[in-house]
Amino acid sequence: MSRARFIAAARYRRPMYGSNHPLAIPRVSLAQDLIAAYEALSAEEFVAARKAGDSELQWFHTPDYVSAFKRAEALGRVAPQARARHALGTLENPYFSGFFTTPATAAGASIQAAEMVLEGYVAFNPAGGMHHAQPDRARGFCFFNDPVLGILRLKQAGWRVLYVDIDAHHGDGVEQAFLHDADVFTLSLHMDTAYAYPHGGGRFEDSAPQAGYTSLNLPLPRGTTDAEYRLLWNEVFPRVLDRFRPDAVVLLGGADAIAFDPLGKLALTTQGWLSLCADVLAGAPRHADGTARLLVTGGGGYHPLVVARAWTGLWGLISGRQLPAELPSAGAAALRGSGWDLDEDAAHFAQFFASRLDAAPRPAPPRPQVVRLAQAVAGHPYLRHA
Ligand SMILES: [Zn+2]
């Protein structure tokens, strides 16, 4: 009997984020279709997402912020005051039909996922992972900070939580929420903000667990490869796990760290990215029956084919299935039906419809700047004696 749960909603098939936005693409629905093509999701494993209640959203968000969504949804647009104050209805965080209900459902699903983890499951909320959202303001395409809400739900049970963010972008909203909370450790590996969103913070020098902070940031150079990411990951992940000894792990599985992502500037392969997820799954603390105490969310990811393949593989891992690399024909058809044609001429495009994994890149030695960062990590006071 599977102890894994996949939480989603039919409303994720509706158009979102308008027409000219990086998130106006099928993501959860396409991943779900690909998973279905593999026959890798049982009725027992699927859970319908529930909308978060106002009081739950207000564990982190201000009442005014929550009200602004409800008013906008009722009105069919965002009023100018709400746009100015909460950054809602902007180009970055645009209005769309279901403006409150859809993000509130994705947020509710992370609370649900936390409750399932408390009950003995490993849970995946692919619509979650909105790690930039702030208490009173939308930010970076993120409306409700569902990772924060999920962590808060686990904390209500007295659990200590390790948050691991492998999205291409710094998990700044989650870091800020728990920066001085001794019961939550946030670890984020991300594009250096010197060249990438959110254009500030997330530096290794900002990491200071020894000063009462419980966060660690590893900024990555453009074009970071599997081997380079691995070098840093192997220094940091096992040591943080060993030092912090959480009761549960929350993994933010943004797929924009994989090569071909139109916004991400890293160069991981899908299998390299999945190997990180596998490490988190293997390292997470355990329920009595051996099930991982692990809550997984989606996150960024702006190439629908890459996202669908990555999250299918991630679900395969956490549900204990060995998925073949070759795509089932129904899966290839679902990907072709997504209408994604921005890079049809690229040499790599055909592989997306043949395999859920990428051709491995030619191995190259890690660049000196990555080696230096790995050495700094190894010498970090919090990690040194682990
Ligand atoms: Zn991202």
Side-chain angles (χ1 to χ4, degrees):
M1 197 177 70
S2 169
R3 300 295 284 177
R5 291 293 180 266
F6 184 98
I7 311 170
R11 66 168 43 250
Y12 302 151
R13 293 189 183 276
R14 300 181 190 184
M16 286 187 260
Y17 287 89
S19 54
N20 188 24
H21 188 282
L23 283 181
I25 55 169
R27 292 169 12 105
V28 176
S29 58
L30 193 58
Q32 210 177 322
D33 290 346
L34 186 53
I35 289 167
Y38 272 106
E39 298 179 7
L41 182 64
S42 70
E44 170 198 62
E45 290 170 316
F46 180 84
V47 175
R50 68 163 175 86
K51 186 176 165 185
D54 292 3
S55 62
E56 291 174 321
L57 294 170
Q58 290 169 23
W59 292 345
F60 181 63
H61 296 286
T62 65
D64 284 352
Y65 184 65
V66 175
S67 298
F69 281 90
K70 300 171 89 164
R71 268 200 307 277
E73 187 166 279
L75 203 63
R77 63 181 173 82
V78 177
Q81 313 90 281
R83 180 176 303 122
R85 173 165 170 194
H86 304 295
L88 299 177
T90 60
L91 278 177
E92 182 177 289
N93 313 307
Y95 177 83
F96 54 89
S97 171
F99 189 63
F100 174 60
T101 304
T102 299
T105 301
S110 276
I111 297 171
Q112 249 176 315
E115 286 168 348
M116 284 173 186
V117 172
L118 291 170
E119 288 163 17
Y121 295 95
V122 50
F124 183 26
N125 170 26
M130 300 292 130
H131 58 172
H132 299 305
Q134 296 184 332
D136 196 47
R137 209 170 163 79
R139 191 168 144 83
F141 318 157
C142 298
F143 295 118
F144 295 124
N145 201 316
D146 62 277
V148 167
L149 297 175
I151 292 167
L152 288 172
R153 183 65 189 88
L154 293 168
K155 267 176 60 82
Q156 287 170 9
W159 284 19
R160 283 156 52 80
V161 181
L162 169 60
Y163 169 78
V164 180
D165 190 326
I166 60 170
D167 187 278
H169 300 96
H170 177 217
D172 54 355
V174 185
E175 177 187 56
Q176 281 160 29
F178 299 111
L179 195 55
H180 300 287
D181 186 332
D183 293 325
V184 179
F185 194 103
T186 60
L187 170 64
S188 180
L189 293 88
H190 44 259
M191 297 188 284
D192 194 323
T193 62
Y195 70 87
Y197 188 87
H199 307 296
R203 299 177 307 168
F204 180 66
E205 302 76 53
D206 297 334
S207 307
Q210 75 278 16
Y213 295 168
T214 48
S215 84
L216 200 59
N217 293 307
L218 292 188
L220 307 169
R222 276 191 179 87
T224 293
T225 62
D226 288 345
E228 290 175 330
Y229 203 114
R230 258 289 145 199
L231 181 67
L232 296 166
W233 177 261
N234 288 348
E235 291 291 354
V236 72
F237 176 68
R239 295 187 202 215
V240 168
L241 199 59
D242 198 53
R243 275 306 293 270
F244 186 67
R245 298 199 174 273
D247 296 305
V249 176
V250 172
L251 170 65
L252 191 128
D256 49 2
I258 299 171
F260 313 122
D261 187 275
L263 300 189
K265 306 274 185 266
L266 306 178
L268 298 193
T269 63
T270 299
Q271 51 270 54
W273 184 86
L274 284 171
S275 76
L276 307 170
C277 300
D279 277 14
V280 174
L281 178 68
R286 291 291 186 260
H287 295 290
D289 69 352
T291 302
R293 290 177 165 203
L294 175 64
L295 189 173
V296 183
T297 71
Y302 305 95
H303 190 308
L305 311 187
V306 170
V307 171
R309 291 152 83 244
W311 289 351
T312 295
L314 176 51
W315 169 248
L317 282 175
I318 67 176
S319 68
R321 290 178 171 87
Q322 300 279 349
L323 301 180
E326 306 76 46
L327 289 182
S329 56
L335 297 185
R336 285 196 188 281
S338 71
W340 183 261
D341 59 4
L342 295 185
D343 49 8
E344 262 176 354
D345 296 332
H348 58 261
F349 193 61
Q351 76 175 1
F352 290 143
F353 305 108
S355 170
R356 68 182 182 85
L357 302 174
D358 314 317
R362 230 173 308 150
R367 287 167 285 177
Q369 70 205 95
V370 176
V371 173
R372 280 196 300 276
L373 180 56
Q375 287 163 350
V377 170
H380 190 283
Y382 184 78
L383 304 174
R384 203 167 44 212
H385 303 295

